[in-house]
Amino acid sequence: MTDFYGIDSALSEEERAVRDSVHRFVDERVLPIIGDCYVEGRFPRDLVPELASLGVFGANLPEEYGCAGLNNVSYGLIMQELERGDSGVRSFASVQGALVMYPIFAFGSDEQKRTYLPKMASGEIIGCFGLTEPDYGSNPAGMITMARQQSDGSWVLNGAKMWITNGSTAHVAVVWAKTNGDKDERSIRGFVVPTNTPGFTARDQKGKLSLRASDTSELVMQDVHVAGDAILPKSAGLKSPLMCLTQARYGIAWGSVGAAMACFEEAASYACNRVMFGKPIGAFQLQQARLAEMLTEIVKGQLLTLHLGRLKDAGTMTPQQVSLAKRNNVSMATDVAREARRLLGANGILAEYASMRHMANLESVYTYEGTHDVHTLVLGQAITGLNAFQ
Amino acid sequence: MKIAVCIKRAADMETRFKIAADGRSIDEAGVKFDIADFDGFAVEAALQLKEKDGTGEVTVISLGKDAVQETLRKALSMGADKAVHLKTDAVPADALAIARVLAAELEGGGYDLMLFGRMAIDAANQSVGPMAAELLGVPCVSAASQLGVAGGRGTARRELEGAAEVLEFPLPAVVTIDEGIARPRLPSLKGIMAAKKKPLEVKPVQVGESRVTVIKMELPPERTGGRIIGEGPDAVPELVRLLQTEAKVL
């Protein structure tokens, strides 16, 4: 395990124990199958009950809802280890925990929390999160999905959502919609929509060259009629889904480091074993420079996430700090994955090795949950006080 | 049913070891420690017996410095109910001295079964479990690959060279566990949180005089690279000659 700076010594015994359990799970259950899943374009659904019994879903939510009640550093380490396996597997856990369980926990009624959270922790209910629309990605405030309240208090939803992780697998969708014809972003509310409601359809998005071991779907809602209590009562405006994204991005900042560690370890091991010109390629200066650069950037990313986690546990973390970590670490991981792939030479293009799979996956991670460019502008605004979006 | 499992904190065998400056121990810097492999199987065996029985209590016991508490908590996070840390600064090389301390703790604990790993993965003495049984005056089955309890009696299966034997014995008894039993479970994240709330009793102990001392520890010689002496059937005579005269294995 890549720990050049002895960061383990800055982790508590409990944090290390959590990391070690998920690490071993990924070694034993994810790594042997994930290359085939990726090639076949199939999410390893069999892993869901096992991930649930390990306790990874919503692991930082309270025990009273059947969750593990871990701190945020432990949660981050879980994401790191899962993405060491595959970004698609980590994405599943991020969506289930940070984008569905978290909004139900933060904005839901007591009854919604009791109904959904324990069954989502146990993997009996799988969730998806519908915010992005075909024409509104980086600009969610422009969304056109609309919910209209009927005279009996129930709601009717119309609209379409795109790039929805778990969309075809999910039993329940947290859908964000404007309400009652009001086009202002302040009218946005969250709804918990069972995916078997008439008028709700999910279609698998075909032809992906990235996140192939993950379900990505388009959701269409045509006169989807849900009860009055489907609304998340404490959701209020665009800031509610953005709070969910902050949770998920926090996990991505950790997860991308895991993907980079996997690529680095593969490259380092390959460099020591692959002989060319009569010696291991790791003995050549060009490959040593590559490995030194990769390791340096990984260590920086590890230190960044650990401190971000301590800030989150102290309750002082800001969304802008999360933007910085997501932006840096995912970009770093894409570079590390590409360099690892190159170091592996021709073998690097095979699914038998992990680096090119990670490299292709990370292009999605670079683009989702706030593109790299959007996070650049978030930081620009934090630095100058001037908003470049408008 | 009350089950005790004696576990040892040992270096992860995937570690690359270095000999410490004293030349008699391993350098612990950067080494990862965990429940010794066979002891992990023993914990798993105890948990499965308890789950099958529906009732009972699993106590894990470890001798050593404060660091063994982490190892005990790992067993608690797997599902053991309570832990006892027999605290001492130095664990001797003398298996009998260790067995005496453990037997003193096990005696009077009212345990039906007292489990050990077949051997500690680091010291590989295979002695502490059988010696503790002798000191306690109870039956001992070593290297069990299966273990069952019914009607106050135990049954165990042992894998022998080319055969297996099944034994029956009265309780209480000592059984040392081989790896065939079941892979130790992963501690779940909830288990890790629950372990913090389970009782872990610390008991300072005096370990008796050690009559066995490690005077030297050394790494196996570095393996040298292979040598290609030719290709195809033409190379066979030379290969045979070298295997006879140089490697002296034929």
Side-chain angles (χ1 to χ4, degrees):
Chain A
M1 209 180 307
T2 306
D3 185 16
F4 196 70
Y5 257 45
I7 296 170
D8 257 25
S9 64
L11 301 176
S12 70
E13 177 187 316
E14 174 190 316
E15 289 160 355
R16 279 183 278 120
V18 167
R19 192 266 322 273
D20 290 349
S21 259
V22 182
H23 185 91
R24 209 180 106 196
F25 177 85
V26 169
D27 278 355
E28 291 176 3
R29 307 292 299 138
V30 179
L31 294 182
I33 58 150
I34 198 66
D36 288 343
C37 290
Y38 189 90
V39 170
E40 292 159 20
R42 162 171 73 79
F43 171 67
R45 199 172 169 166
D46 294 351
L47 291 181
V48 173
E50 297 180 48
L51 286 163
S53 72
L54 187 59
V56 308
F57 299 140
N60 54 349
L61 297 178
E63 290 166 341
E64 62 176 302
Y65 298 116
C67 304
L70 299 175
N71 71 4
N72 288 294
V73 169
S74 295
Y75 176 82
L77 289 163
I78 295 170
M79 296 297 130
Q80 172 189 298
E81 291 306 319
L82 290 179
E83 197 149 356
R84 194 175 61 81
D86 189 80
S87 300
V89 175
R90 198 270 308 138
S91 294
F92 182 93
S94 282
V95 168
Q96 180 84 347
L99 294 182
V100 184
M101 296 173 76
Y102 170 79
I104 291 171
F105 172 71
F107 310 124
S109 65
D110 285 346
E111 196 186 336
Q112 285 169 330
K113 291 186 218 181
R114 281 196 306 272
T115 304
Y116 289 107
L117 295 181
K119 285 189 175 163
M120 295 198 73
S122 68
E124 289 166 76
I125 295 181
I126 294 170
C128 68
F129 175 88
L131 175 68
T132 297
E133 299 187 357
D135 294 322
Y136 298 95
S138 291
N139 176 24
M143 72 166 65
I144 54 174
T145 296
M146 190 60 74
R148 289 178 193 275
Q149 192 159 30
Q150 311 298 297
S151 54
D152 63 355
S154 63
W155 292 88
V156 173
L157 282 81
N158 279 286
K161 300 288 181 182
M162 209 167 175
W163 308 114
I164 307 306
T165 300
N166 304 355
S168 299
T169 319
H171 305 100
V172 67
V174 167
V175 173
W176 300 92
K178 289 177 177 168
T179 46
N180 296 328
D182 184 349
K183 290 184 179 156
D184 193 279
E185 65 174 58
R186 281 169 294 190
S187 86
I188 292 172
R189 307 289 300 272
F191 296 85
V192 184
V193 181
T195 56
N196 61 3
T197 312
F200 187 105
T201 49
R203 261 204 317 268
D204 198 22
Q205 287 185 234
K206 304 281 185 203
K208 282 186 299 169
L209 298 175
S210 172
L211 289 185
R212 289 184 51 78
S214 175
D215 157 19
T216 310
S217 298
E218 183 181 4
L219 310 180
V220 176
M221 288 163 289
Q222 197 168 12
D223 292 328
V224 170
H225 199 146
V226 292
D229 62 5
I231 196 167
L232 290 170
K234 288 178 241 167
S235 64
L238 184 62
K239 76 169 193 302
S240 298
L242 294 187
M243 283 168 69
C244 303
L245 293 178
T246 298
Q247 305 300 313
R249 288 164 183 166
Y250 168 79
I252 292 167
W254 283 88
S256 51
V257 176
M261 286 160 68
C263 295
F264 170 76
E265 283 164 20
E266 181 168 85
S269 156
Y270 191 86
C272 293
N273 290 309
R274 171 73 170 169
V275 173
M276 195 61 60
F277 300 108
K279 57 182 178 179
I281 61 170
F284 292 99
Q285 292 181 4
L286 282 174
Q287 307 304 353
Q288 290 195 354
R290 229 181 208 137
L291 292 167
E293 202 61 45
M294 288 160 84
L295 179 63
T296 305
E297 293 306 316
I298 288 169
V299 169
K300 283 149 80 174
Q302 288 171 328
L303 292 167
L304 196 57
T305 46
L306 178 59
H307 189 66
L308 187 71
R310 297 288 178 229
L311 292 175
K312 191 170 184 345
D313 279 327
T316 61
M317 180 186 84
T318 67
Q320 291 77 16
Q321 289 169 334
V322 180
S323 284
L324 189 152
K326 190 271 182 187
R327 179 180 180 277
N328 180 79
N329 287 4
V330 177
S331 177
M332 174 278 286
T334 60
D335 292 343
V336 167
R338 183 174 301 273
E339 290 304 315
R341 210 257 6 111
R342 289 176 177 166
L343 184 146
L344 265 60
N347 281 320
I349 71 163
L350 296 174
E352 182 187 337
Y353 292 90
S355 292
M356 187 154 177
R357 173 168 52 81
H358 283 298
M359 186 185 102
N361 279 338
L362 286 160
E363 288 300 316
S364 293
V365 182
Y366 186 91
T367 305
Y368 74 24
E369 300 270 354
T371 67
H372 183 81
D373 294 348
V374 161
H375 288 298
T376 307
L377 299 185
V378 169
L379 292 177
Q381 185 179 7
I383 296 162
T384 63
L386 304 169
N387 184 352
F389 293 102
Q390 288 164 348
Chain B
M1 184 166 49
K2 285 185 78 176
I3 307 173
V5 190
C6 294
I7 63 175
K8 181 174 182 182
R9 177 179 172 85
D12 183 333
M13 286 297 127
E14 286 175 22
T15 309
R16 281 195 180 191
F17 296 104
K18 279 186 278 191
I19 304 292
D22 65 7
R24 289 181 295 157
S25 57
I26 62 162
D27 182 356
E28 294 191 359
V31 174
K32 211 169 162 204
F33 287 82
D34 203 344
I35 301 176
D37 298 33
F38 293 103
D39 299 353
F41 289 108
V43 172
E44 180 62 36
L47 295 175
Q48 288 193 10
L49 280 176
K50 180 190 151 183
E51 284 159 2
K52 203 170 163 194
D53 198 43
T55 59
E57 185 178 73
V58 175
T59 303
V60 285
I61 301 167
S62 190
L63 171 72
K65 48 193 177 185
D66 284 342
V68 304
Q69 289 182 16
E70 181 180 11
T71 309
L72 288 167
R73 267 189 294 274
K74 166 103 183 252
L76 293 173
S77 71
M78 289 169 70
D81 300 288
K82 53 189 204 175
V84 179
H85 171 203
L86 302 175
K87 185 176 159 131
T88 177
D89 287 337
V91 179
D94 188 338
L96 183 58
I98 296 168
R100 283 192 209 282
V101 180
L102 292 173
E105 173 61 27
L106 292 167
E107 181 129 56
Y111 298 112
D112 302 296
L113 267 174
M114 291 157 278
L115 305 185
F116 294 73
R118 173 168 73 78
M119 64 177 193
I121 198 71
D122 52 359
N125 276 323
Q126 314 192 48
S127 310
V128 173
M131 283 176 168
E134 180 77 18
L135 292 166
L136 291 163
V138 299
C140 178
V141 175
S142 61
S145 62
Q146 282 177 29
L147 180 59
V149 172
R153 294 181 74 82
T155 51
R157 180 187 169 95
R158 301 176 70 242
E159 306 300 327
L160 308 176
E161 192 70 41
E165 65 178 15
V166 177
L167 301 102
E168 197 198 31
F169 51 91
L171 303 181
V174 164
V175 181
T176 76
I177 302 294
D178 207 350
E179 62 194 323
I181 226 149
R183 268 185 71 69
R185 64 195 66 187
L186 274 179
S188 74
L189 309 184
K190 278 189 218 174
I192 291 168
M193 294 300 277
K196 294 195 294 186
K197 296 174 195 142
K198 291 180 178 174
L200 193 164
E201 192 182 353
V202 181
K203 295 182 179 174
V205 292
Q206 289 294 326
V207 184
E209 185 199 353
S210 176
R211 294 171 300 178
V212 180
T213 320
V214 178
I215 53 168
K216 188 178 172 193
M217 188 178 268
E218 57 191 15
L219 295 175
E222 286 266 337
R223 281 209 281 182
T224 52
R227 181 151 46 105
I228 295 170
I229 53 166
E231 279 182 23
D234 293 347
V236 172
E238 175 67 358
L239 179 63
V240 171
R241 190 187 70 78
L242 287 172
L243 288 173
Q244 282 173 333
T245 59
E246 196 176 299
K248 296 190 170 70
V249 293
L250 289 181

